[in-house]
Amino acid sequence: DFYLPIHNIVIECDGVYWHASQEAKERDMRKDKALEKLGIIVFRFNEDDIHKNADKCVKIALRGVKQFPRRTYD
């Protein structure tokens, strides 16, 4: 849902309606693996986690941003 190119991070926010089926979970897994092969770090949060504890989700994502330094472009 969000791509932070300067950090090479993707943040996915998975709604229950679109991501609950086994087919959707397998598709998400394939997507994550494809992104990781490109060197992109994926953070995936489900709707319930976001609603129950949005602050925690934000902290996890920010920790990832701090862990993976900014990329420079020549």
Side-chain angles (χ1 to χ4, degrees), residues 11-30:
I11 300 171
E12 293 284 345
C13 303
D14 296 343
V16 173
Y17 179 82
W18 296 106
H19 296 269
S21 72
Q22 186 60 36
E23 181 181 327
K25 290 176 185 178
E26 290 171 3
R27 181 187 63 237
D28 290 340
M29 191 181 315
R30 286 191 306 273

Side-chain angles (χ1 to χ4, degrees), residues 22-67:
Q22 186 60 36
E23 181 181 327
K25 290 176 185 178
E26 290 171 3
R27 181 187 63 237
D28 290 340
M29 191 181 315
R30 286 191 306 273
K31 181 178 180 180
D32 291 354
K33 286 180 181 181
L35 289 169
E36 288 169 2
K37 282 183 179 181
L38 295 171
I40 298 171
I41 308 302
V42 179
F43 291 93
R44 189 173 287 279
F45 303 100
N46 68 45
E47 179 179 9
D48 292 335
D49 290 339
I50 294 168
H51 283 293
K52 289 178 185 173
N53 199 343
D55 288 342
K56 181 179 178 182
C57 296
V58 169
K59 285 178 185 178
I60 291 169
L62 287 174
R63 193 176 321 133
V65 167
K66 290 177 185 176
Q67 182 179 354

